[in-house]
Amino acid sequence: MSINVQNLVKRYGQVTVVQGISFQVAKGEFLSLLGPSGCGKTTTLRCIAGLENADGGVIKIGDGVVSAPEQGVLIPPHERQIGMVFQSYAIWPHMSVAQNVGFPLAIRKASTAEVARQVDDALGIVGMRHLKDRHPSQLSGGQQQRVALARAIVGRPKVLLFDEPLSNLDAKLREGTRLEIRRLQRELGVAAVYVTHDQEEALSMSDRVIVMEAGRIMQTGTPKDLYRRPSNRFVADFVGRASFIDVQKGPDANTWIAPDGTPIRLDSGRAEAAAHYQAMLRPEAIDLIAAGPEGMRPNGANVLKGRVYDSQYMGAHTEYLVNAAGTTLKVHSTQDFGPGSDVLVSFDPVDCHLVAVEDQAAKAA
Amino acid sequence: MTDKAIVPAASEFATHYAQRRSSQDRLLHGVYAATFVVVVLLVTIPIAALIYGSLRTSAPGNPGEWTLRNYAGLFTEGVLATMGTTLWIGLVSSAFCIVVGTAIALVVHRTDFKYGKFVNAAVGLAFYFPSFILAMAWIIIGAPGGIYNAVVDGILGMPWARADIYTALGIVFVMVLHQVPFVYLTMSGPIVSMDAIYEEAARTSGAKPHVVLYRVTLPLLSYSLISSFILTFIITIEQFAIPALIGIPGQVTMLATQLYLLVRFSPADYGLAAAVGLALSAITGTAIWAQRRVTRAGRLTTITGKAGRVAPIPLGGWKWAAYALCFGFVFLGLVLPMVMLIYTSLLKWFTANPFAGMYTLRNYAFIWESASALRSFWNTLVVSGIGAAIGVVLGLLCAYFTLRLKPKGYRALDLVASLPFGVPGVVLGLGLLWAYAYLPIPLYGTLAVIIVAFVTRFLPYATETIGGQLVQIDKSLEEAAWVGGATRLQSVFKVLLPLARPSVQSAYFLLFMAFFREISSAILLYSASTQVISISIWAFFEQANWGLASSLSVVATLIIFAAMSLITWLVPTARRR
Ligand SMILES: Nc1ncnc2c1ncn2[C@@H]1O[C@H](COP(=O)(O)OP(=O)(O)O)[C@@H](O)[C@H]1O
Ligand SMILES: [Mg+2]
């Protein structure tokens, strides 16, 4: 079933932490809420689950309104038929694995045989059937996580909600579990909302990602959209690594002027209207070449003069900090340059995007 | 996007939803309202009655007039002197307790002392040793005609070494013996759970073990020490039995005993007693406020929950000092008093010379033959068994509502439920004495009034014990149950209660033991048919019937120790606290 959130507002005392956001999640869609810590992702998710009472707006799950405080409707969580995986897993320590997973069925008065069958199924799906009589204290973090998953899906929920379910796992386990969560959700064909502050997780798992900041939606789009064509500085900065060049309007819509006067050709398609603009460059979209003649190349690439100022060896590539166009650019290159080398920085106009800058953000590097 | 489509659907939905909703929450809100009313009545009735009484010229129930003379009475020389005595005895005793209790805790938990387990268990037993029994035992030892003086003067011929327990120093001495286990228990937690990295960092910086103790361990414990000091001060000036048994014959008066004397001996002055009670409560209340400030400030700084094992400090040459300290305390606070009581209980007539004694079991036989002694045992069992259950249920409800559900007005409930912390037992008894003269229900002289007094007095202990565990149960455990389809009530029974069970058990244990030993809040409320065991012992001792008082004490103490071992064995978690 789908989820439909309209103008959701949530306040804690005087502070409004979710400021009237709207989005939809279609049946079978996997949507991530991505944003820095404290931006209101968890609060939004908990409003959908009914664990927090929203202060305004309407939330529908399928055709049913579950939250409409202005109309006096706030369906309690136990009637919303959701499956949820908590950041801390919330595995009940006084119940065995099977009892944990069977809880949503037992509490809805399913027969013992039915509970046993479905628990078996759910544990089978997450590969934990052999541990069903264990107690949670005898499980590793990854195993507890699977139990939490099994418990979330066992009651055939209408929607699945995840609140940073992987943040307590180590890096190796995290990658495997990402794939598994995605596979499960596809099999169940339910709408899923996934909260995370890890952009890699959001990009790799989601059909669509919502980037949030301070209780507002900054941009909604597919992972590729967000990464390649962010519409504002915040999204560009938060999703992936990027360098920014302050630019002023130039002779035509796609040619802008860097602080040192260099003209830069770029793609200005997506930028929102704003007082200030910057040109955004991903480090892997830039080529470093040993110094030579500057200017626009025949094929249309921008070429700027620069000087390597520092570098960090990362294995697959080296990240260089290059002073060019009156700013510092991050560049990933597989070639070797010493500190202080003069280089040419070259990038394609289609890889350079104009982004809108909010006033204070312009000053932050 | 589709606002318009959603909103009408929502309002249509709202009506039929509102009806369902109301029936669902009614039960929980009913229980909340009931808890609120019961707690408010329990706590405010005695306090209000006390304030009322302090403004009246007459005894409870008699016609009288409004007056302020009772407050003026607080500033007479006698009462001011009593306040001074109370404060200095409180401060001096607490200081000694902190030093001795913390030293024992450090020796047991932080050094290579070999008998730590034994001392830990013995001090734990001493914690449950009733104050009035300890005081009686030390009177038998230290009274002018007591065993100590008979030995030093009569047998050893050293008249200069005579001592008299019936003095302010005697009170301090017994008080310290009684409160050291409290300090030991409150300091053991922080000492054991202190993160080892601080001490390890100091040791890797080259500090010797004892330097680490002075420069790192003790400073890190300073908030706990101050907090423990204030708490000890509070329970010392609240203490009734020790200053009454020792101070009244020796004419050393503390506020708690002054109040008792004003009520029990003519010319009785119930109004002044009420004012004294309020003054005492004001002191304890202020101290509690200060203690809360200290704990709140301290929480920011030091202790993490992680227990780490540091290598124990080698005692070396200090070994004998540690032995003397730990075994000395266990001997004076537990073994010697018990031996004296057993000895006294076996004598036909008291004599300080064990070779001249006529031994008998008649004091024990008397317990079986005496209907009143048996009844007081039965009463105690009823009061402790049922009263503790009531107290735990109320405490559980208070903790759940104030920490979890947080419905409207929960802060008020929290405040009211913690007020009895600041009201000493005798003061509470006096408040109830005033209140029941005016209440329409004929409670006075029933066991119920004793239960009411005990439950009120120890409600904060139940709430704190259970609440302490409730806050540690991650909220998401309950939320996961809601999401999984459980109602609030179902999640309480399926998740919260099973997880909180150890704290509920230890709260019951704590209250049962406290009720079994409690005397201060019952001393003004009992009648012949509602004597509890503590009161019976007290009464026999006051009649100078040391033999009977001793045999009853021995039996009561054995019951306490047996119950404690039984419960510790059955429910290992109940031991905590
Ligand atoms: N129970 C609460 N009371 C007050 N403020 C809260 C509460 N829960 C969250 N907040 C605040 O709301 C904001 C959003 O929190 P949250 O949704 O948890 O952020 P995140 O995006 O990290 O999940 C934060 O500033 C947080 O401090
Ligand atoms: Mg969060």
Side-chain angles (χ1 to χ4, degrees):
Chain A
M1 259 183 240
S2 63
I3 302 171
N4 193 329
V5 177
Q6 288 293 327
N7 298 325
L8 176 66
V9 175
K10 173 69 193 173
R11 295 185 199 95
Y12 288 114
Q14 298 295 310
V15 190
T16 307
V17 297
V18 177
Q19 317 217 17
I21 65 175
S22 305
F23 59 89
Q24 288 169 330
V25 194
K27 185 173 185 310
E29 190 183 18
F30 195 103
L31 176 100
S32 289
L33 297 180
L34 174 66
S37 169
C39 72
K41 311 175 296 280
T42 298
T43 308
T44 306
L45 192 79
R46 289 168 60 85
C47 286
I48 298 175
L51 296 172
E52 299 289 346
N53 291 336
D55 292 305
V58 177
I59 301 173
K60 276 171 74 174
I61 295 179
D63 293 327
V65 176
V66 293
S67 165
E70 282 106 336
Q71 278 75 37
V73 178
L74 283 167
I75 304 278
H78 65 270
E79 293 174 20
R80 294 195 184 187
Q81 291 196 35
I82 46 192
M84 181 160 172
V85 180
F86 291 81
Q87 185 166 13
S88 57
Y89 313 144
I91 302 296
W92 299 300
H94 60 299
M95 297 183 193
S96 70
V97 166
Q99 284 169 328
N100 261 284
V101 176
F103 185 92
L105 303 169
I107 205 81
R108 295 189 172 103
K109 310 251 162 22
S111 71
T112 321
E114 183 63 19
V115 173
R117 195 183 60 74
Q118 292 204 33
V119 167
D120 232 39
D121 280 357
L123 283 175
I125 291 175
V126 298
M128 290 277 296
R129 199 176 278 153
H130 58 295
L131 297 177
K132 73 173 185 219
D133 294 321
R134 286 269 184 99
H135 267 267
S137 55
Q138 302 165 308
L139 299 179
S140 69
Q143 290 169 329
Q144 291 192 18
Q145 222 270 341
R146 281 152 191 275
V147 176
L149 264 178
R151 186 178 65 188
I153 61 173
V154 76
R156 300 272 143 200
K158 294 181 182 174
V159 299
L160 275 176
L161 306 178
F162 300 88
D163 187 2
E164 313 220 6
L166 306 183
S167 59
N168 290 328
L169 296 182
D170 57 58
K172 271 267 155 53
L173 215 51
R174 219 178 289 170
E175 277 174 32
T177 316
R178 271 187 214 162
L179 293 173
E180 189 158 351
I181 289 180
R182 210 40 239 272
R183 178 178 60 80
L184 266 177
Q185 183 262 347
R186 276 205 194 97
E187 276 169 22
L188 293 174
V190 294
V193 181
Y194 187 99
V195 162
T196 180
H197 66 267
D198 179 340
Q199 43 112 1
E200 205 177 296
E201 227 168 87
L203 295 182
S204 64
M205 295 174 75
S206 320
D207 294 320
R208 268 191 316 138
V209 178
I210 292 179
V211 181
M212 288 180 68
E213 157 70 352
R216 293 176 209 282
I217 293 181
M218 301 305 284
Q219 189 175 355
T220 307
T222 63
K224 287 178 186 165
D225 243 11
L226 288 182
Y227 188 80
R228 294 184 186 159
R229 284 186 294 281
S231 56
N232 52 55
R233 157 89 200 228
F234 179 82
V235 174
D237 215 9
F238 194 77
V239 180
R241 296 174 69 73
S243 315
F244 299 91
I245 308 171
D246 289 321
V247 289
Q248 307 279 338
K249 262 203 169 61
D252 65 83
N254 287 332
T255 309
W256 293 62
I257 311 295
D260 67 350
T262 324
I264 294 176
R265 297 206 301 141
L266 45 67
D267 165 25
S268 64
R270 275 294 187 96
E272 300 159 344
H276 302 281
Y277 293 93
Q278 287 180 327
M280 182 217 66
L281 280 166
R282 296 291 181 198
E284 69 276 7
I286 306 177
D287 282 332
L288 283 190
I289 328 163
E294 188 184 355
M296 287 175 206
R297 290 212 177 153
N299 64 7
N302 295 293
V303 179
L304 311 176
K305 230 191 219 153
R307 171 167 291 168
V308 174
Y309 142 80
D310 206 350
S311 68
Q312 251 181 310
Y313 181 63
M314 319 280 267
H317 58 257
T318 306
E319 178 169 301
Y320 293 99
L321 296 180
V322 179
N323 290 330
T327 180
T328 304
L329 300 176
K330 293 184 202 95
V331 184
H332 288 176
S333 171
T334 51
Q335 286 169 274
D336 292 336
F337 296 95
S341 328
D342 286 319
V343 289
L344 288 183
V345 176
S346 120
F347 51 90
D348 237 314
V350 292
D351 291 329
C352 183
H353 300 278
L354 193 66
V355 293
V357 182
E358 280 169 47
D359 286 339
Q360 308 128 335
K363 272 142 216 150
Chain B
M1 289 161 249
T2 48
D3 272 17
K4 287 186 200 82
I6 286 182
V7 174
S11 35
E12 180 193 317
F13 191 76
T15 21
H16 116 111
Y17 158 79
Q19 293 157 357
R20 240 167 8 104
R21 177 90 217 186
S22 61
S23 77
Q24 197 185 64
D25 285 352
R26 201 176 292 152
L27 179 59
L28 216 50
H29 279 100
V31 176
Y32 175 57
T35 309
F36 205 109
V37 170
V38 169
V39 170
V40 167
L41 288 181
L42 275 183
V43 176
T44 53
I45 284 180
I47 295 177
L50 206 62
I51 295 173
Y52 171 82
S54 72
L55 294 167
R56 301 294 291 178
T57 54
S58 58
N62 293 347
E65 285 161 21
W66 295 103
T67 179
L68 283 175
R69 70 153 198 230
N70 297 318
Y71 288 97
L74 289 181
F75 297 97
T76 55
E77 210 171 307
V79 178
L80 285 177
T82 305
M83 271 186 212
T85 311
T86 307
L87 291 180
W88 85 252
I89 290 185
L91 292 173
V92 171
S93 308
S94 311
F96 275 113
C97 288
I98 284 290
V99 173
V100 177
T102 309
I104 296 180
L106 284 172
V107 167
V108 167
H109 298 296
R110 274 287 194 259
T111 69
D112 60 353
F113 183 67
K114 260 191 266 166
Y115 304 100
K117 277 219 175 71
F118 167 78
V119 170
N120 188 54
V123 176
L125 274 187
F127 179 72
Y128 290 100
F129 200 40
S131 60
F132 59 95
I133 297 184
L134 183 70
M136 278 167 27
W138 274 100
I139 287 172
I140 294 171
I141 299 168
I147 291 166
Y148 172 79
N149 289 318
V151 171
V152 293
D153 201 359
I155 300 176
L156 302 177
M158 304 189 296
W160 50 266
R162 285 185 66 93
D164 184 1
I165 193 87
Y166 292 129
T167 56
L169 281 181
I171 296 180
V172 170
F173 177 72
V174 178
M175 205 70 104
V176 169
L177 288 181
H178 181 60
Q179 312 306 18
V180 158
F182 174 81
V183 174
Y184 173 83
L185 292 179
T186 50
M187 288 310 297
S188 287
I191 288 176
V192 170
S193 67
M194 192 165 83
D195 199 325
I197 56 165
Y198 302 117
E199 284 165 302
E200 281 166 358
R203 286 204 199 170
T204 51
S205 318
K208 293 206 180 95
H210 65 273
V211 178
V212 175
L213 184 68
Y214 291 120
R215 299 286 298 272
V216 178
T217 315
L218 284 177
L220 278 176
L221 289 173
S222 59
Y223 280 104
S224 306
L225 283 168
I226 297 172
S227 155
S228 178
F229 177 84
I230 301 177
L231 287 175
T232 312
F233 175 75
I234 294 167
I235 58 176
T236 304
I237 64 171
E238 274 191 18
Q239 239 304 320
F240 169 72
I242 296 173
L245 286 169
I246 299 176
I248 293 175
Q251 298 188 337
V252 182
T253 316
M254 290 175 72
L255 282 173
T257 38
Q258 173 122 59
L259 186 158
Y260 171 75
L261 293 172
L262 281 169
V263 172
R264 269 297 147 96
F265 296 93
S266 55
D269 189 340
Y270 285 86
L272 181 57
V276 167
L278 287 173
L280 180 53
S281 303
I283 300 176
T284 50
T286 313
I288 285 166
W289 173 81
Q291 188 264 345
R292 297 252 152 128
R293 299 277 317 241
V294 170
T295 0
R296 208 168 310 144
R299 207 176 303 148
L300 302 174
T301 51
T302 55
I303 316 288
T304 66
K306 279 182 299 180
R309 279 286 103 232
V310 266
I313 303 169
L315 279 169
W318 287 92
K319 195 164 88 180
W320 297 108
Y323 277 48
L325 174 75
C326 294
F327 292 119
F329 172 76
V330 172
F331 179 73
L332 293 179
L334 193 64
V335 178
L336 183 63
M338 267 319 271
V339 169
M340 284 306 144
L341 287 172
I342 294 172
Y343 168 67
T344 313
S345 73
L346 293 173
L347 288 176
K348 210 168 221 165
W349 291 284
F350 182 76
T351 164
N353 182 352
F355 301 105
M358 298 183 46
Y359 293 93
T360 171
L361 282 175
R362 73 169 188 192
N363 290 323
Y364 290 94
F366 170 84
I367 298 176
W368 288 112
E369 288 155 13
S370 149
S372 85
L374 282 183
R375 189 171 53 220
S376 71
F377 269 112
W378 175 246
N379 285 344
T380 306
L381 221 56
V382 170
V383 167
S384 307
I386 298 177
I390 297 173
V392 165
V393 169
L394 267 187
L396 178 65
L397 289 169
C398 284
Y400 175 70
F401 287 126
T402 56
L403 294 171
R404 283 290 161 142
L405 202 58
K406 301 192 175 175
K408 202 179 256 169
Y410 79 93
R411 275 176 221 278
L413 178 65
D414 192 26
L415 178 74
V416 172
S418 68
L419 280 184
F421 256 142
V423 184
V426 232
V427 180
L428 181 68
L430 181 65
L432 287 172
L433 199 64
W434 269 102
Y436 288 116
Y438 296 96
L439 286 185
I441 17 172
L443 273 180
Y444 189 72
T446 64
L447 266 192
V449 72
I450 307 264
I451 292 182
V452 165
F454 288 9
V455 167
T456 311
R457 178 149 152 74
F458 291 98
L459 179 62
Y461 294 81
T463 311
E464 292 259 308
T465 308
I466 298 171
Q469 182 155 30
L470 279 196
V471 297
Q472 289 184 351
I473 298 174
D474 189 0
K475 193 137 198 296
S476 66
L477 289 172
E478 234 186 318
E479 291 173 346
W482 303 340
V483 168
T487 62
R488 289 232 174 215
L489 221 49
Q490 282 172 321
S491 78
V492 167
F493 282 102
K494 301 256 173 193
V495 174
L496 203 61
L497 276 184
L499 291 175
R501 202 178 69 190
S503 73
V504 174
Q505 286 167 338
S506 46
Y508 185 82
F509 173 62
L510 189 79
L511 257 55
F512 186 95
M513 288 304 193
F515 289 12
F516 205 97
R517 293 172 296 162
E518 173 65 1
I519 190 164
S520 60
S521 53
I523 194 80
L524 296 177
L525 294 174
Y526 74 89
S527 67
S529 64
T530 65
Q531 282 199 3
V532 284
I533 190 71
S534 54
I535 299 284
S536 295
I537 296 173
W538 175 278
F540 284 126
F541 196 76
E542 276 202 323
Q543 296 155 18
N545 197 338
W546 287 10
L548 266 178
S550 298
S551 65
L552 272 177
S553 297
V554 170
V555 173
T557 308
L558 289 181
I559 292 178
I560 289 175
F561 289 174
M564 190 184 140
S565 328
L566 186 71
I567 294 176
T568 322
W569 178 62
L570 288 178
V571 220
T573 43
R575 189 75 177 278
R576 283 192 52 240
R577 217 205 129 90

